[in-house]
Amino acid sequence: MGHTHKDTCRICKGSDLVRVLSLGEHPPVDNFVAPDAVGEEKRYPLDVYFCRACSLVQLVDVVPPTELFHNAYAYFSSASVPLVRHFESYAKQIKEKYLSPGDFVVDIGSNDGVLLQFFLPEHRVLGIEPSSNVAEVAREQGIETLIEFFDEKLAQRIVETHGKAKVITANNVFAHIDDLDEIVRGVKTLLTDDGVFVSESHYLLDLVEHMEFDTIYHEHLCYYTVKPLQHLFNRFDMEVFDVERVAQHGGSIRVFARKRSTEPLSPRVKELLDLEEKNGLYTPDTFLGLEERVKGVREKLVSMVRELRHEGKKVIGYGAPAKSGTLLNYCGFTADDLSYITDTTPHKVGKLTPGSHIPVVSPDILKTETPDYILLLSWNYRDFILEKEKDVRARGAKFIIPVPKVEIV
C-alpha cells in the first residue's frame, strides 16, 4: 500500500497550499531493521506545506498508519527519564486544576502508560494505544489499555462501558493524526460537559526559531500554532481556552480545549496568537527562508563529521529517537560516518537505524570505550545527557550538538 497525497488542508479543507520545505524521501523513522533483514526500504516524500487560509503547517503525503504504528513499534516513553519526570509534573497539574477523586481520565496514544500511571489510584484511567507490544507493557503495570485507534465509534463504546471522561489527553499524538475531524468528534462524544481535552504537540514557533528540522517526520502530520487549532475546535462548537508553552521535545505547546462556554479564555491564548503573528507564522515567506537555513546546517554538519573521519577520528551517535531518522537520512550519514549509535530502548538495541543502517548498541559501551566525538541526536536532552556522560567526557570524548546550531562541546 502506497502513501496518499492530499490536496486540501487537514483543518480548514482549503486547497491553497504552498510547499515551503522539502527534506527529500525518507523511510518511517521508527522502523528499525534487523541486521539480517536489510532490504529495499520504502521511502516517502518529506515535504512541508503551508495553508494560506488557516495557517496550518502540515505534511500532505500520508503514510498508512499500519506502516508507522505496528507490533514492532519501537518507541517506549518510559525509557526516557526526563520524559517520565515531565509526565509526572503534567499529571500533577491536571489533577490539581481539573480533577476530583474518582474522575475518569482517558489518554489517547497512551504508549506504555507513562502518563496514566500518575493518576492512579485516585482516578479511573483508560489508555488507548494501537501498538500492541507497547500496550501490553501498560497492561502489565495494571493500566487498562485498549489496543485500537481512537475514533468516534470507539468513544461511544467507552461511554457505554465506562461513562464519560472528565479529562482526555493526547500527548505527541494529536499532531500525528490525518483525520482530525474524526478525533474531535470522538473527544466531544466522550467528554463530560465540563470536561477538558488536553493535547501536547511540538510547537511550530520553537521549530522555526531553533531550526528543529529533525522534528519533521511522517508521524508528525501537523506543526501547530494556536490560530489553526482555534479554527478546528470552533468548527465543532468547542474552544481553545488556555495554552501553555513547555520545554519538552525542544519546545512544545500544551493546548486546553472544552465545549463552548461562557467562561472567559485565559489571556495566554491572545498572548500566543500575538507572538505567532509577530514571528511571521501566518505567512509562507517565513518558512521559505527556513529551507536555506536548514541546508546550511546540513552542509556544516556533514563536512564536520566527514573531516573528522578523514582525520581518523572515531565518531558515534548518541540516542536514536524518531528525530534522529530525519537528521541521519537528510545528511546521508551511514555506518561509514558514525560507527554506531547508543540508545537505552531495548527494542532498538541490536537493530540498524532506518535508511542509514547504523548499528544501535547499549550505552554501556561508553563505560569501556571512548570515542573521539559523539553526535548528540537526542539534543533536546542536552543538559541531562552531558551531565550523565561526564565520565566519558572526562576521558576526552567531545559532543557534537547539531541543533539549533552545529557546535562542539
Side-chain angles (χ1 to χ4, degrees):
M1 187 179 174
H3 73 287
T4 308
H5 182 84
K6 296 169 73 80
D7 53 13
T8 55
C9 172
R10 195 166 275 112
I11 281 182
C12 75
K13 317 306 175 189
S15 56
D16 194 358
L17 302 173
V18 53
R19 190 172 79 172
V20 291
L21 176 63
S22 180
L23 297 173
E25 296 207 330
H26 293 242
V29 290
D30 272 311
N31 290 1
F32 287 74
V33 188
D36 59 357
V38 175
E40 197 59 43
E41 285 168 272
K42 290 182 185 171
R43 290 176 175 262
Y44 303 97
L46 198 52
D47 296 336
V48 182
Y49 288 76
F50 176 87
C51 173
R52 291 184 191 271
C54 73
S55 303
L56 178 66
V57 172
Q58 59 199 299
L59 305 186
V60 299
D61 294 290
V62 183
V63 180
T66 48
E67 289 207 25
L68 300 178
F69 312 101
H70 45 69
N71 291 349
Y73 188 57
Y75 182 70
F76 289 77
S77 300
S78 296
S80 164
V81 174
L83 198 55
V84 173
R85 289 177 186 160
H86 167 75
F87 281 123
E88 186 173 15
S89 68
Y90 180 158
K92 185 169 183 278
Q93 178 198 38
I94 299 293
K95 285 192 285 191
E96 287 172 357
K97 289 179 81 168
Y98 302 114
L99 290 172
S100 301
D103 280 343
F104 183 36
V105 180
V106 175
D107 189 20
I108 301 170
S110 51
N111 199 262
D112 56 10
V114 64
L115 173 64
L116 289 179
Q117 64 181 325
F118 296 114
F119 290 104
L120 294 171
E122 62 265 53
H123 305 289
R124 295 183 298 127
V125 303
L126 178 67
I128 298 158
E129 172 54 53
S131 300
S132 58
N133 64 320
V134 185
E136 284 302 337
V137 173
R139 287 175 168 181
E140 285 163 15
Q141 310 299 319
I143 295 164
E144 186 182 354
T145 306
L146 302 179
I147 303 173
E148 298 190 51
F149 286 101
F150 182 77
D151 58 16
E152 191 178 9
K153 216 179 266 183
L154 178 59
Q156 191 57 54
R157 259 176 42 218
I158 295 169
V159 171
E160 289 162 10
T161 55
H162 293 70
K164 295 203 172 197
K166 184 68 183 293
V167 169
I168 302 172
T169 55
N171 309 297
N172 304 302
V173 66
F174 199 51
H176 298 48
I177 292 160
D178 183 30
D179 189 350
L180 291 169
D181 289 15
E182 180 69 24
I183 299 302
V184 178
R185 278 195 297 265
V187 164
K188 195 174 177 187
T189 296
L190 182 53
L191 208 57
T192 59
D193 287 344
D194 61 347
V196 178
F197 173 58
V198 192
S199 67
E200 195 170 276
S201 310
H202 284 92
Y203 188 31
L204 183 64
L205 180 56
D206 291 294
L207 188 155
V208 171
E209 280 189 335
H210 305 303
M211 300 284 292
E212 297 170 357
F213 68 91
D214 54 347
T215 59
I216 298 166
Y217 43 87
H218 297 112
E219 289 174 22
H220 287 173
L221 294 169
C222 299
Y223 301 84
Y224 287 130
T225 51
V226 178
K227 183 178 170 184
L229 285 170
Q230 282 187 318
H231 188 108
L232 173 66
F233 286 107
N234 287 347
R235 284 180 39 233
F236 292 91
D237 208 29
M238 293 182 69
E239 62 188 359
V240 173
F241 71 91
D242 198 3
V243 288
E244 181 183 356
R245 291 181 76 176
V246 290
Q248 204 56 35
H249 295 303
S252 296
I253 182 170
R254 192 176 291 169
V255 178
F256 300 81
R258 66 189 175 202
K259 294 177 182 179
R260 199 179 300 285
S261 154
T262 53
E263 295 291 314
L265 306 184
S266 162
R268 295 194 290 193
V269 176
K270 185 175 187 309
E271 285 165 16
L272 269 199
L273 284 167
D274 291 345
L275 184 64
E276 291 168 4
E277 178 98 56
K278 183 180 154 201
N279 280 275
L281 297 186
Y282 305 152
T283 166
D285 300 351
T286 300
F287 305 99
L288 293 168
L290 180 69
E291 179 150 26
E292 287 311 307
R293 289 164 56 212
V294 167
K295 284 179 182 169
V297 169
R298 175 175 65 181
E299 286 165 17
K300 184 168 183 184
L301 185 59
V302 170
S303 64
M304 175 186 285
V305 169
R306 294 200 170 142
E307 183 62 35
L308 291 169
R309 292 290 294 118
H310 183 68
E311 291 169 7
K313 305 293 187 192
K314 182 164 191 171
V315 186
I316 69 154
Y318 192 106
K323 62 165 65 72
S324 70
T326 297
L327 188 139
L328 294 170
N329 283 289
Y330 182 60
C331 291
F333 286 145
T334 68
D336 291 336
D337 302 296
L338 306 177
S339 304
Y340 55 81
I341 293 173
T342 68
D343 194 89
T344 54
T345 311
H347 285 68
K348 295 179 185 179
V349 173
K351 301 270 183 72
L352 305 176
T353 54
S356 46
H357 297 162
I358 301 167
V360 181
V361 303
S362 164
D364 290 344
I365 196 169
L366 296 179
K367 291 175 181 171
T368 53
E369 192 170 288
T370 309
D372 298 297
Y373 291 88
I374 301 172
L375 176 60
L376 184 54
L377 297 161
S378 302
W379 51 260
N380 48 311
Y381 297 130
R382 169 182 173 151
D383 295 342
F384 174 82
I385 289 166
L386 291 179
E387 172 62 24
K388 182 183 174 190
E389 300 300 346
K390 59 189 176 191
D391 289 349
V392 73
R393 294 175 73 204
R395 300 198 305 266
K398 290 185 167 63
F399 274 83
I400 302 170
I401 313 292
V403 174
K405 65 176 192 288
V406 180
E407 58 177 326
I408 295 176
V409 296

